[in-house]
């Protein structure tokens, strides 16, 4: 495993304690929604919540269930401060208020770079080092080219200046000698011929210097073209890097789009069976807040209805899907049982009626259950608003409690009852069913409740029952209490 040292780089948690001497800091800022998301500068406090004007926060359990947000909804990941919006909110700028707990810093060496990529790197730090190295190599190549061009230009300039000075010196000398010879023309005719020859030699040398100048110029143009070629190659490499980066971004966007489509397909096809109702008219009463995929059967006709986030859609019938039984084919009952039933003689078995039939049945048939549901996510201490009247006489057999999310400490609930007459006359004679301080208790981290001794077992017809929350553990949610009564 290469670059093992990156796996030991520290993840730094710079978090506040939330105490008086180290409180969380109230922060307000403007953020732009990009690809349906935006990120806060710090980790937000879940108690204070994240507040966005004209938007409503969706709780985690509801967002996990549907994964679809309305235009005015948002979801917050309180572990890292990432906020998710509806995709049609992209490009909008919102003002966000929250209390910052601090930041969590991850080293670049521990951030994975997806493969395949055009470079042999595993993490973000290696990618940064690779880009920096290539940048330095490119700068060195350009610097060498510039140095080479400057060097050749200087050499050419010095060479031209040198030849020009020589030529001027020759010309000046020639002029001086010519003037001297003109004054002595009669005496130095032969000398003038010699000077003419020397002048010719100087002219030849000047032509030679001109040719050398042209050659030097051609070399300079070649050097310049080479430098341009090096620059073009560097630009091509940079453009290739930009194209590959764009391809990676496009691939990431396509993957995100496919993921969202899969999530939507799951919502459109999932089925969650719910408690059946007597008729279609009772569906909205029994299930007032359905989620996508809830499936309910109507007992009067066996029809199946599914909630598609708009209305209850008919999708089939339980009874019509199974044929009637025949002696040679299974149906609503097994064919062997059908044949056996036809062979039973009249009066072969006594048919119990009334109390005899009741006593002949097992206890679980005589058991009726009262169900208390506290579905709010902010349970308050004290007497709850839910009241249930039990129509029969009986004996409380068992009490069961269950919750969806546990609290930070224990939660205790007392089941109380009152007679019909006292309830109607407003007489406060509510009696605790369980032993005091040993009632229905949800211990810390437990989803099922422990129930103490039941001291008032008997139930009179039309007794009224309620729940009294004695102590609330912060964070507990969605409590269901089942009271099983033997009648």
């Amino acid at each position: 495993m290469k670059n093992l040292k990156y796996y030991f780089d520290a993840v730094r948690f710079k978090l506040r304690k939330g105490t008086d001497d180290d409180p969380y800091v109230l922060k307000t800022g403007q953020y732009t929604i990009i690809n349906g998301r935006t990120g806060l500068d710090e980790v937000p406090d879940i108690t204070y919540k994240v507040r966005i004007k004209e938007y409503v926060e969706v709780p985690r359990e509801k967002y996990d269930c549907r994964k679809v947000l309305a235009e005015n909804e948002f979801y917050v990941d309180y572990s890292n401060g990432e906020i998710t919006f509806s995709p049609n909110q992209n490009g909008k700028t919102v003002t966000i208020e929250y209390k910052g707990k601090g930041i969590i810093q991850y080293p670049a060496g521990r951030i994975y770079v997806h493969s395949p990529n055009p470079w042999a790197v595993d993490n973000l730090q290696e990618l940064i080092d690779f880009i920096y190295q290539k940048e330095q190599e490119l700068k060195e190549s350009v610097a060498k080219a510039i140095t080479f061009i400057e060097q050749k230009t200087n050499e050419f300039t010095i060479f031209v200046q040198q030849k020009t000075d020589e030529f001027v010196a020759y010309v000046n000398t020639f002029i001086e000698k010519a003037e001297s010879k003109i004054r002595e023309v009669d005496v130095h005719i032969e000398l003038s011929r010699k000077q003419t020859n020397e002048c010719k030699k100087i002219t030849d040398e000047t032509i030679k210097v001109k040719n050398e100048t042209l050659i030097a110029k051609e070399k300079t143009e070649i050097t310049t073209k080479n430098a341009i070629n090096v620059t073009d190659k560097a630009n091509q490499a940079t453009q290739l890097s930009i194209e590959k980066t764009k391809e990676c971004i496009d691939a990431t966007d396509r993957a995100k789009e496919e993921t969202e489509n899969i999530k939507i397909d799951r919502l459109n096809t999932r089925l969650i069976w719910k408690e059946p109702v007597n008729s279609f008219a009772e569906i909205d009463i029994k299930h007032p807040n359905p989620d996508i995929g809830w499936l309910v059967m109507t007992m009067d006709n066996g029809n199946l209805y599914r909630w598609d986030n708009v209305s209850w859609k008919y999708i089939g019938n339980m009874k019509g899907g199974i044929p009637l039984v025949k002696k040679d084919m299974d149906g609503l009952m097994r064919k062997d049982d059908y044949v056996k039933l036809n062979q039973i003689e009249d009066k072969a078995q006594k048919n119990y009626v009334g109390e005899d039939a009741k006593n002949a049945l097992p206890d679980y048939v005589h058991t009726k259950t009262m169900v208390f549901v506290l579905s709010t996510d902010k349970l308050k201490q004290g007497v709850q608003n839910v009241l249930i009247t039990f129509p029969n006489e009986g004996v409380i057999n068992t009490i069961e409690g269950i919750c969806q999310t546990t609290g930070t400490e224990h939660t205790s609930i007392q089941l109380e009852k009152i007679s019909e007459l006292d309830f109607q006359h407003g007489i406060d004679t509510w009696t605790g069913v369980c032993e005091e301080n040993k009632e229905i208790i949800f211990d810390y981290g437990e989803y099922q409740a422990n129930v103490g001794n039941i001291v008032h077992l008997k139930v009179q017809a039309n007794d009224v029952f309620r729940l009294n929350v004695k102590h609330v553990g912060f964070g507990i949610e969605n409590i269901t209490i089942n009271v099983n009564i033997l009648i």
Side-chain angles (χ1 to χ4, degrees):
M1 181 184 297
K2 69 174 184 177
N3 297 331
L4 186 61
K5 64 179 182 180
Y6 292 126
Y7 292 90
F8 299 100
D9 284 353
V11 178
R12 294 183 288 188
F13 293 82
K14 297 183 178 180
L15 301 176
R16 304 180 181 92
K17 298 179 181 178
T19 59
D20 292 338
D21 57 345
D22 188 15
Y24 297 150
V25 177
L26 182 64
K27 290 183 170 289
T28 303
Q30 291 188 334
Y31 298 83
T32 302
I33 302 173
I34 300 174
N35 293 330
R37 299 176 186 271
T38 189
L40 300 177
D41 299 333
E42 295 189 7
V43 178
D45 175 28
I46 191 173
T47 304
Y48 187 80
K49 297 292 185 180
V50 173
R51 305 176 184 183
I52 305 177
K53 187 177 181 181
E54 298 180 355
Y55 286 82
V56 179
E57 180 177 356
V58 176
R60 174 179 56 81
E61 63 276 4
K62 193 170 183 180
Y63 178 74
D64 290 342
C65 180
R66 66 185 189 181
K67 295 296 185 182
V68 175
L69 294 172
E71 290 185 359
N72 65 332
E73 293 180 339
F74 66 94
Y75 166 71
V76 182
D77 188 341
Y78 282 96
S79 64
N80 56 21
E82 184 178 87
I83 303 177
T84 303
F85 294 84
S86 174
N88 58 18
Q89 299 298 299
N90 286 338
K92 290 187 176 181
T93 299
V94 295
T95 301
I96 302 177
E97 177 182 321
Y98 67 99
K99 283 192 175 181
K101 297 170 63 177
I103 59 175
I104 302 175
Q105 296 179 328
Y106 288 87
R110 298 183 68 176
I111 299 176
Y112 173 68
V113 176
H114 288 282
S115 291
N117 57 61
W119 317 285
V121 295
D122 293 329
N123 55 62
L124 181 58
Q125 185 60 54
E126 289 185 348
L127 179 59
I128 293 172
D129 294 341
F130 175 81
I131 294 174
Y132 176 78
Q133 177 186 352
K134 294 303 179 183
E135 181 183 7
Q136 296 303 314
E137 292 177 357
L138 179 60
K139 288 181 178 179
E140 291 178 2
S141 298
V142 173
K144 288 180 180 178
I146 293 173
T147 302
F148 178 78
I149 293 171
E150 290 178 348
Q151 179 183 354
K152 293 302 180 182
T153 302
N154 292 334
E155 291 178 357
F156 171 73
T157 301
I158 293 172
F159 176 79
V160 172
Q161 186 63 44
Q162 180 182 353
K163 294 301 180 181
T164 302
D165 292 342
E166 292 178 358
F167 175 74
V168 171
Y170 276 117
V171 171
N172 291 334
T173 302
F174 171 76
I175 292 173
E176 290 176 357
K177 290 181 178 180
E179 290 177 349
S180 177
K181 294 303 178 182
I182 289 173
R183 288 190 301 266
E184 300 175 358
V185 63
D186 294 334
V187 181
H188 304 286
I189 293 175
E190 187 66 28
L191 182 61
S192 296
R193 291 193 186 100
K194 292 182 180 179
Q195 292 293 336
T196 302
N197 292 333
E198 289 179 1
C199 184
K200 183 180 180 182
K201 289 180 181 179
I202 292 172
T203 302
D204 294 338
E205 189 172 352
T206 302
I207 294 171
K208 181 179 179 182
V209 169
K210 182 178 180 181
N211 293 333
E212 290 178 351
T213 301
L214 292 174
I215 294 172
K217 183 178 179 180
E218 291 176 356
K219 290 182 178 179
T220 301
E221 291 176 352
I222 293 173
T223 303
T224 303
K225 289 181 180 179
N226 291 335
I228 293 173
N229 291 334
V230 171
T231 304
D232 291 340
K233 291 181 179 179
N235 291 335
Q236 291 175 2
T238 302
Q239 184 62 31
L240 178 61
S241 176
I242 294 172
E243 293 175 355
K244 294 298 182 181
T245 302
K246 185 175 183 302
E247 291 177 1
C248 292
I249 294 173
D250 293 341
T252 301
D253 292 340
R254 289 195 298 272
K256 289 182 178 178
E257 182 179 356
E258 292 295 331
T259 302
E260 292 298 327
N261 291 337
I262 291 173
K263 292 178 180 177
I264 294 173
D265 289 341
R266 286 187 59 195
L267 288 175
N268 292 334
T269 59
R270 70 176 181 178
L271 297 176
I272 303 175
W273 287 86
K274 291 296 177 179
E275 185 177 353
V277 298
N278 292 328
S279 64
F280 180 81
E282 295 182 10
I283 293 183
D284 290 334
I285 299 174
K286 190 75 173 180
H287 305 287
N289 298 307
D291 281 341
I292 296 176
W294 282 24
L295 188 67
V296 178
M297 183 180 74
T298 53
M299 300 298 293
D300 55 353
N301 53 20
N303 287 344
L304 297 175
Y305 296 91
R306 179 183 181 274
W307 179 256
D308 63 355
N309 206 30
V310 177
S311 62
W312 293 98
K313 299 295 185 181
Y314 171 78
I315 64 171
N317 184 277
M318 287 292 291
K319 295 181 180 178
I322 305 176
L324 296 175
V325 66
K326 297 180 181 179
K327 66 180 180 179
D328 55 352
M329 182 181 70
D330 290 338
L332 291 175
M333 67 183 301
R334 296 176 64 251
K335 62 183 180 180
D336 296 339
D337 294 335
Y338 173 74
V339 174
K340 181 178 179 181
L341 182 63
N342 288 335
Q343 294 174 352
I344 297 176
E345 299 178 358
D346 294 339
K347 300 182 180 180
Q349 173 65 48
K350 181 179 179 180
N351 294 322
Y352 294 103
V353 295
E355 289 296 322
D356 292 336
K358 176 180 176 181
N359 295 331
L361 296 173
D363 288 345
Y364 67 83
V365 179
H366 303 289
T367 300
K368 301 295 182 181
T369 302
M370 289 190 304
V371 180
F372 291 87
V373 178
L374 305 178
S375 60
T376 178
D377 57 355
K378 294 183 179 179
L379 184 63
K380 296 182 179 180
Q381 186 170 324
V383 176
Q384 305 301 300
N385 296 329
V386 181
L387 298 175
I388 297 179
T389 300
F390 193 77
N392 306 108
E393 293 184 1
V395 177
I396 297 177
N397 189 7
T398 58
I399 300 175
E400 303 167 345
I402 190 171
C403 68
Q404 184 180 18
T405 305
T406 62
T408 57
E409 52 183 326
H410 82 279
T411 298
S412 60
I413 304 173
Q414 176 66 278
L415 174 67
E416 298 179 344
K417 69 173 184 174
I418 190 174
S419 67
E420 177 186 19
L421 186 61
D422 289 351
F423 180 76
Q424 292 177 350
H425 290 82
I427 302 174
D428 190 6
T429 58
W430 289 94
T431 303
V433 173
C434 298
E435 183 179 353
E436 193 68 23
N437 297 325
K438 294 184 179 179
E439 49 270 339
I440 307 167
I441 298 177
F442 291 89
D443 290 328
Y444 167 71
E446 295 293 334
Y447 292 91
Q448 291 185 331
N450 296 319
V451 181
N453 297 328
I454 303 175
V455 295
H456 294 90
L457 300 173
K458 293 185 178 180
V459 177
Q460 301 299 326
N462 297 321
D463 277 355
V464 181
F465 291 82
R466 72 183 185 186
L467 295 179
N468 187 358
V469 179
K470 297 297 189 67
H471 185 271
V472 179
F474 177 78
I476 192 168
E477 297 179 6
N478 297 332
I479 297 176
T480 301
I481 305 297
N482 296 328
V483 183
N484 301 313
I485 302 176
L486 184 64
I487 61 174

